[in-house]
């Protein structure tokens, strides 16, 4: 069934359905969305359905969770919900059933004022099957002592603290962000307010928490009248099918528990709104506090300045403040960025205005990062003075109109690609703080109507807004200062605390702790009866509505490529009717959309290795260099930024696409259909017409240098960095763009730009010359191509002068592996990072290389079997409290397979547990059930559907398959049949051949990033496992750093606007 952008239609316009009454119905006609809010007069349960066409159905089930201490009851309860329920008393059954219904399991998060539980399925059949089970878990979880031990907190047999929640908070509590946030909360809110609390739980409180406290908390807040079910997407029988399932399969259980007390039982107080948390006034006086965080590099700190904002239901002023923040910080020419960031010696690396929604009024925190410590103490005063000057000099109304128009285009784009995700935040806020009669809902959802109002505002109106909420307002400033002393103190204190704990427990206590943990794990191992699983049928793939993509590939005679057969589709005829073929590679992928994107993919294969480190600065400067346009017009960098923002929806430059194909540089410009020619002209001028101006290059390089220390504080960043350094060679662009390489290169680049700028500019010119070699360029058009009047001839207008050339193959990352990467054997690298307390780990072995390997379907199913929520790795590692996350990935581009541990409290024990499970599966001592195989295949269906669930991703994947991977269009859909054909013996053979080697030192490497106190023990244990460990400490001097970064997010300095 093809998709339509027409208006969604509910089954009827009724105002009641069984026990449910319609509270409010809102039609967003321009976006094809109908929102309806219902409430049960019997149980008080609230249901909201956003009805629109989409392949995925999403559920977000929200509980208002108020806590007046730091025990972490909301967070710990979130974890215990997944450990079994009254009706389904088996650990992890919720995810096993979800995996059978075209899903990839369930998830949840805990915020300051709510806990949300989520599920997403391809099609509605699996979603409606799962809904009663999920609600049984939320309303009636078992909350056993054994679940508490493994999932929340326990002491292991060695006297160490562990547990999934404890490991998570161990990795967070002493980070600058968490320390500063807690200080802000304690300062902003009065005693007696729940907003002061650390809802995640502080480690010292988690060590004292009991399961009885969590049960009591659940009984108070997890009640049907404090629960809202938000469902987004198309249901085959409309909203009534959702209400019918709830009324027939959920409410009888609620009634049986005596909870049929209506929407507002006697004595009930709405959390936050009718409790002491609502008793709050605007900030009475400016307060400044200093928080130290552990960091050996004491050169840069952070700042968060929080102001009081309007009421959460003052939607116009909230939108105006959002627009004002965009005006102030959204681009290199924004006033605050020009003053603080876009300078040769940056005063910070970013300024980010945010909004925290609270009862009575919202908070307006401003986050400012990487501030040189010499400026920290008075930065807040300087910042407010800057805002005052901006207000006094008047707002640039031409730019403000541009900001408003672009924001509206971006909202339309988001609503097209992810309606539910875009609007779910407003629905959660309405449940927590909105009027009970639904009267706030239309204004909350229809954000587009505020743009026309804001277009009528004068410069004086915007200045008044700035003065009211920022310039003339009091604030709370929290300064985050790095402290090398605190690093040592935390390590020393933790060692002493553990020693006392071990002494207190004694041999008998340690033995009992080990016994209790083993008993808890054994209780969790109770298998789910097969008939319970099989009672949930796997849906039919035909029930999924795939987004149709029409594709045409144009290649000149001069290109040596395998041609995609030309169809006689409407798209092919449309392109053929617009002039003659061009001497370049262009692929058109049409989907129904209001927008069109043009992309250029430039090969980096022949770039000299000495020029690769320049890529990060080039990408950082890409959209803010002066430009000489094809017309001959010369634009300053400010004119470039302003014109781009005025004419586009979005623009981006990066290495590759979604962490893949990083030996290709990609430039993307997204516009409304009528701006198609403008997008192509910008693509031409930004690449070929950019002027490498010394001052702009200095600013971009300085911004990179400013950001490096903060990047080094994150365990995941450092892990990916060191992993890249270990496995890739000097011809890897990712490695050249990584933190270590940039730490060495950027200071030299800055010095050379000051001393010998002509030499540096010549290097950038050489980089561009290699980049624009026509043999390595692939162009792509995605979006509404059929509504473009001249899809082909406009390319000729701007690129017709490109010489004909044979198109060279895309270089894949496997070609940039070093000797260890091609043969990963024996080496272990253990990095000490003082800003974390848990461990981040990767074990790597050789895997499948290539995108059409005949053995990949079996490996994909095998990995899904291992990685699925509540499957083998989850149960043996997360279920034992050994790590917050554990999974295995197969990188087909590099031909590597990696076992990852995230926030691990005991990484060696986690490694051994995973190895034990793999050996057991291969030798048959651990059984692989057919139901597990079915669930894995079902989850793969969801993964494929999610990857093509929006018009933009569907079109882009069509291009990547054909032009980059070299496989036919829709190849992943065609693989669905092969996944279904994979047998149990295929999976076991794949596990033995490809996965088991990652757990053997003779066929794998390991990289560990951990707390300083754990380095020696982990290195010794790895040596016992047969590895040759190398211990390193992350250096703190910027040009002597010892890490690198392999992620496109940080390493490649991707630029996106």
């Amino acid at each position: 069934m093809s998709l339509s952008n027409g208006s969604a239609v509910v089954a009827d316009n009724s105002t009641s359905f069984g026990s449910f009454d319609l509270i409010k119905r809102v039609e967003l006609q321009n976006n094809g969305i109908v929102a309806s809010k219902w409430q049960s007069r019997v149980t008080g349960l609230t249901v909201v359905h956003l009805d629109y066409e989409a392949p995925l159905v999403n559920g977000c089930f929200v509980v208002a969770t108020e806590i007046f201490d730091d025990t972490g009851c909301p967070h710990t309860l979130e974890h215990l919900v997944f450990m079994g329920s009254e009706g389904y008393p088996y650990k992890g059954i919720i995810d096993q059933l979800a995996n059978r219904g075209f899903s990839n399991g369930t998830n949840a998060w805990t915020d300051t004022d709510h806990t949300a539980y989520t599920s997403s399925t391809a099609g509605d059949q699996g979603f409606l099957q799962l809904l009663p089970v999920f609600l049984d878990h939320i309303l009636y979880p078992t909350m056993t002592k054994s679940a508490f031990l493994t999932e929340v907190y326990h002491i292991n047999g060695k006297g160490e603290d562990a547990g999934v929640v404890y490991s998570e908070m161990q990795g967070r509590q002493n980070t600058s962000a968490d320390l500063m946030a807690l200080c802000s909360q304690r300062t902003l809110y009065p005693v007696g307010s729940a907003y002061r609390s650390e809802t995640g739980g502080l480690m010292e409180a988690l060590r004292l928490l009991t399961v009885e406290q969590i049960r009591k908390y659940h009984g108070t807040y997890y009640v049907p009248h404090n629960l809202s079910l938000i469902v987004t997407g198309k249901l085959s029988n409309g909203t009534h099918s959702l209400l019918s399932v709830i009324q027939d399969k959920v409410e009888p259980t609620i009634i049986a528990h005596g909870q049929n007390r209506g929407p507002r039982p006697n004595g009930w107080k709405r959390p936050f709104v009718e409790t002491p948390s609502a008793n709050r006034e605007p900030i009475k006086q400016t307060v400044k506090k200093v928080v130290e965080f552990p960091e050996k590099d004491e050169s840069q700190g952070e700042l968060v300045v929080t102001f009081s904002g309007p009421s959460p239901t003052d939607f116009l002023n909230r939108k105006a403040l959002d627009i004002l923040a965009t005006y102030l910080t959204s681009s290199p020419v924004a006033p605050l960025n020009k003053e603080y960031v876009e300078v040769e010696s940056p005063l910070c690396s970013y300024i980010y205005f945010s909004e925290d929604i609270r009862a009575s009024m919202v908070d307006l925190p401003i986050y400012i990062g990487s501030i040189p410590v010499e400026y920290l103490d008075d930065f807040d005063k300087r910042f407010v003075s800057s805002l005052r000057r901006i207000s006094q000099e008047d707002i640039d109304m031409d730019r403000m109109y541009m900001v408003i128009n672009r924001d509206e285009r971006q909202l339309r784009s988001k609503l097209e690609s992810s309606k539910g995700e875009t609007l779910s935040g407003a629905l959660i806020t309405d449940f927590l703080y909105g009027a009970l009669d639904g009267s706030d809902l239309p204004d909350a959802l229809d954000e587009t109507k505020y743009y026309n109002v804001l277009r009528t505002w004068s410069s004086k109106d915007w200045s008044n807004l700035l003065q009211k909420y920022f310039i003339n307002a009091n604030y709370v400033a929290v300064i985050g200062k790095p402290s090398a002393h605190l690093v040592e103190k935390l390590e020393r204190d933790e060692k002493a605390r553990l020693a006392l704990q071990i002494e207190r427990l004694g041999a008998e206590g340690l033995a009992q702790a080990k016994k209790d943990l083993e008993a808890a794990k054994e209780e969790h191992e109770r298998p789910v009866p097969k008939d319970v699983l099989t009672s949930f049928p796997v849906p039919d793939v035909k029930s999924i509505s795939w987004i149709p993509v029409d594709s045409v590939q144009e290649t000149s005679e001069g290109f040596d490529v395998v041609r995609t057969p030309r169809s006689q589709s409407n798209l092919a005829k449309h392109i053929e009717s617009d002039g003659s073929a061009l001497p370049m590679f262009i692929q058109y992928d049409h989907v129904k959309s209001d927008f069109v994107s043009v992309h250029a993919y430039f090969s980096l294969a022949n770039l000299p290795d000495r020029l690769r480190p320049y890529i990060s600065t080039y990408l950082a400067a890409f959209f803010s260099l002066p430009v000489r346009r094809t017309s001959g017009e010369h634009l300053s960098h400010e004119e470039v930024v302003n014109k781009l923002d005025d004419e586009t929806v979005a623009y981006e430059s990066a290495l590759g696409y979604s962490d893949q194909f990083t030996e290709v540089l990609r430039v993307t410009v997204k516009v409304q259909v009528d701006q198609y020619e403008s997008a192509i002209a910008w693509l031409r001028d930004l690449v070929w017409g950019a002027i490498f101006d010394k001052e702009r290059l200095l600013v971009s390089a300085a911004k990179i240098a400013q950001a490096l220390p903060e990047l080094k504080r994150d365990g995941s960043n450092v892990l990916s960095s060191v992993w890249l350094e270990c496995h890739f060679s000097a011809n890897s662009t990712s490695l050249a763009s990584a933190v270590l390489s940039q730490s060495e290169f950027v200071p030299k680049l800055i010095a050379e730009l000051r001393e010998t700028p002509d030499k540096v500019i010549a290097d950038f010119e050489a980089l561009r010359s290699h980049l624009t070699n026509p043999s390595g360029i692939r162009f792509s058009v995605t979006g509404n191509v059929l509504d473009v009047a001249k899809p082909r001839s406009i390319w000729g207008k701007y690129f017709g002068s490109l010489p004909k050339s044979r198109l060279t193959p895309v270089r894949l990352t496997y070609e940039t592996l070093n000797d260890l990467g091609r043969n990963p054997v024996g080496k272990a690298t253990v990095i000490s990072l003082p800003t974390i307390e848990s461990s981040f780990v990767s074990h790597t072995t050789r895997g499948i290389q290539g995108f059409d390997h005949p053995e990949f379907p079996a490996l994909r199913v095998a990995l899904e079997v291992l990685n699925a929520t509540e499957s083998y790795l989850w149960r043996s590692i997360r279920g034992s409290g050994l790590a917050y996350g554990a999974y295995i990935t197969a990188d087909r581009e590099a031909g590597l397979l990696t076992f990852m541990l995230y926030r691990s409290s005991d990484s060696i024990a986690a490694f051994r547990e995973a190895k034990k499970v793999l050996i057991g599966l291969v030798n048959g001592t651990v059984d692989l059930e057919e139901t597990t195989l079915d669930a894995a295949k079902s989850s793969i269906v969801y993964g494929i559907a999610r990857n093509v669930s929006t018009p933009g991703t569907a079109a882009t994947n069509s291009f990547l398959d054909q032009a980059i991977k070299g496989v036919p269009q829709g190849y992943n859909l065609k693989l669905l049949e092969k996944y279904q054909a994979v047998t149990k013996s295929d999976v076991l053979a794949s596990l033995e051949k490809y996965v088991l080697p990652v757990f053997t030192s003779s066929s794998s490497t390991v990289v560990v990033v951990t707390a300083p106190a754990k380095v020696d023990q982990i290195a010794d244990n790895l040596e016992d496992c047969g590895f040759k460990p190398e211990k390193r400490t992350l250096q703190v001097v910027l040009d002597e750093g010892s890490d690198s970064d392999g992620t496109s997010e940080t390493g490649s300095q991707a630029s996106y606007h």
Side-chain angles (χ1 to χ4, degrees), residues 99-141:
N99 293 341
R100 290 180 63 84
F102 290 168
S103 177
N104 67 339
T106 57
N107 211 336
W109 72 77
T110 299
D111 208 333
T112 301
D113 53 9
H114 71 276
T115 302
Y117 298 87
T118 62
S119 180
S120 180
T121 63
D124 69 332
Q125 183 182 338
F127 182 87
L128 294 175
Q129 279 182 179
L130 185 67
L131 183 60
V133 183
F134 209 158
L135 294 182
D136 197 63
H137 279 70
I138 292 171
L139 291 170
Y140 311 112

Side-chain angles (χ1 to χ4, degrees), residues 56-318:
L56 303 182
V57 176
N58 305 295
C60 182
F61 313 137
V62 184
V63 183
T65 45
E66 190 173 29
I67 186 76
F68 297 91
D69 55 43
D70 300 319
T71 57
C73 280
H75 184 204
T76 54
L77 178 53
E78 171 216 314
H79 283 250
L80 292 183
V81 158
F82 295 96
M83 303 295 283
S85 69
E86 287 183 9
Y88 303 87
Y90 306 96
K91 176 182 179 292
I93 187 174
I94 179 73
D95 288 300
Q96 293 185 51
L97 294 175
N99 293 341
R100 290 180 63 84
F102 290 168
S103 177
N104 67 339
T106 57
N107 211 336
W109 72 77
T110 299
D111 208 333
T112 301
D113 53 9
H114 71 276
T115 302
Y117 298 87
T118 62
S119 180
S120 180
T121 63
D124 69 332
Q125 183 182 338
F127 182 87
L128 294 175
Q129 279 182 179
L130 185 67
L131 183 60
V133 183
F134 209 158
L135 294 182
D136 197 63
H137 279 70
I138 292 171
L139 291 170
Y140 311 112
T142 52
M143 295 180 287
T144 63
K145 179 67 181 296
S146 61
F148 175 88
L149 275 177
T150 60
E151 196 69 15
V152 178
Y153 172 73
H154 66 261
I155 298 174
N156 63 25
K158 294 181 284 187
E160 300 163 336
D161 306 280
V164 176
V165 173
Y166 191 85
S167 293
E168 180 184 354
M169 298 312 297
Q170 192 177 46
R172 276 183 41 194
Q173 184 165 318
N174 287 310
T175 61
S176 57
D178 272 43
L179 290 168
M180 293 169 69
L182 189 60
C183 181
S184 290
Q185 291 166 225
R186 298 284 206 253
T187 309
L188 282 165
Y189 307 113
V191 174
S193 169
Y195 292 122
R196 291 172 58 89
S197 306
E198 171 51 82
T199 55
L202 295 177
M203 286 188 288
E204 51 269 30
L206 289 170
R207 292 195 288 264
L208 301 175
L209 183 65
T210 66
V211 71
E212 287 78 15
Q213 289 172 269
I214 301 174
R215 290 170 182 160
K216 183 178 179 181
Y217 183 83
H218 179 273
T220 302
Y221 291 97
Y222 276 58
V223 286
H225 52 274
N226 192 38
L227 173 63
S228 179
L229 314 181
I230 299 169
V231 179
T232 65
K234 175 59 64 179
L235 304 175
S236 53
N237 293 314
T239 305
H240 286 180
S241 60
L242 171 64
L243 297 176
S244 177
V245 167
I246 296 169
Q247 183 171 269
D248 296 344
K249 298 184 178 181
V250 176
E251 286 209 309
T253 305
I254 297 175
I255 293 168
H257 281 81
Q259 292 179 312
N260 50 332
R261 299 167 61 198
R264 192 175 177 86
N266 290 334
W268 172 251
K269 291 185 178 180
R270 192 177 178 191
F272 300 101
V273 178
E274 299 171 350
T275 69
S277 299
N279 300 331
R280 179 192 169 204
E281 298 177 356
I283 300 168
K284 292 184 177 179
Q285 63 181 31
T286 293
V287 179
K288 188 187 301 186
K289 294 191 175 181
V290 177
V291 173
E292 290 188 335
F293 61 90
E295 173 58 77
K296 289 185 177 180
D297 183 345
E298 295 185 331
S299 64
Q300 296 178 358
E302 301 171 30
L303 176 68
V304 58
V305 185
T306 305
F307 296 84
S308 296
S311 160
T313 55
D314 184 353
F315 301 106
L316 176 62
N317 274 309
R318 283 177 55 199

Side-chain angles (χ1 to χ4, degrees), residues 167 170 837-841 877 882-885 901-908 910 1010 1014:
S167 293
Q170 192 177 46
E837 294 192 30
S838 53
S839 299
F840 298 77
V841 187
I877 295 174
L882 297 175
Y884 189 71
L901 290 170
Y902 175 73
R903 286 182 178 168
S904 176
S905 58
D906 190 339
S907 60
I908 296 298
T1010 191
K1014 296 184 177 183

Side-chain angles (χ1 to χ4, degrees), residues 692-727:
F692 294 114
D693 175 74
K694 168 194 167 183
E695 299 303 325
R696 295 308 306 160
L697 293 173
L698 263 174
V699 166
S700 297
K703 285 163 62 179
I704 295 173
Q706 190 90 350
L708 288 169
E710 190 170 338
L711 293 176
K712 293 180 182 180
R713 296 171 192 156
D714 180 78
S716 293
N717 277 346
V718 174
L719 175 66
S720 59
S721 303
V722 179
W723 179 86
L724 187 66
E725 180 190 82
C726 289
H727 298 93

Side-chain angles (χ1 to χ4, degrees), residues 23 37 270 313 430 433-441:
I23 303 298
K37 181 175 182 177
R270 192 177 178 191
T313 55
D430 183 72
Y433 302 113
L436 295 175
D437 64 1
S439 56
D440 290 325
L441 201 56

Side-chain angles (χ1 to χ4, degrees), residues 435-566:
L436 295 175
D437 64 1
S439 56
D440 290 325
L441 201 56
D443 290 339
L445 293 178
D446 191 7
E447 193 175 331
T448 56
K449 66 183 180 183
Y450 302 117
Y451 292 111
N452 285 334
V453 177
L454 295 177
R455 287 187 184 99
T456 68
W457 280 24
S458 66
S459 176
K460 181 65 174 175
D461 293 325
W462 290 106
S463 292
N464 288 342
L465 187 77
L466 189 56
Q467 290 171 19
K468 177 180 180 180
Y469 288 106
F470 298 108
I471 298 169
N472 298 329
N474 295 314
Y475 59 84
V476 170
V478 176
I479 297 169
K481 278 193 174 179
S483 169
H485 168 72
L486 189 57
V487 173
E488 299 169 359
K489 182 179 185 300
L490 286 173
E491 182 180 350
R492 187 170 59 247
D493 290 352
E494 180 66 1
K495 283 183 176 179
R497 187 189 66 78
L498 283 175
L500 284 173
Q501 181 165 281
I502 292 168
E503 181 182 353
R504 174 176 56 81
L505 289 169
E508 186 176 335
L510 291 173
Q512 185 62 47
K514 182 178 180 181
K515 182 179 177 182
D516 291 344
L517 179 59
E518 289 175 348
K521 290 164 65 175
E522 185 177 344
E523 183 176 332
H524 294 329
E525 293 303 317
R526 193 160 55 106
V528 179
K530 187 175 181 180
D531 62 319
V532 175
L533 295 175
T534 55
S535 67
F536 268 63
V538 176
D540 189 343
V541 175
K542 295 178 181 177
S543 66
I544 303 171
S545 300
W546 304 99
I547 294 176
V549 181
D550 193 0
S551 184
V552 169
Q553 195 177 88
E554 287 256 299
T555 59
S556 165
E557 294 298 328
F559 285 98
D560 185 17
V561 296
V562 177
R563 293 173 177 274
T564 300
R566 176 64 54 83

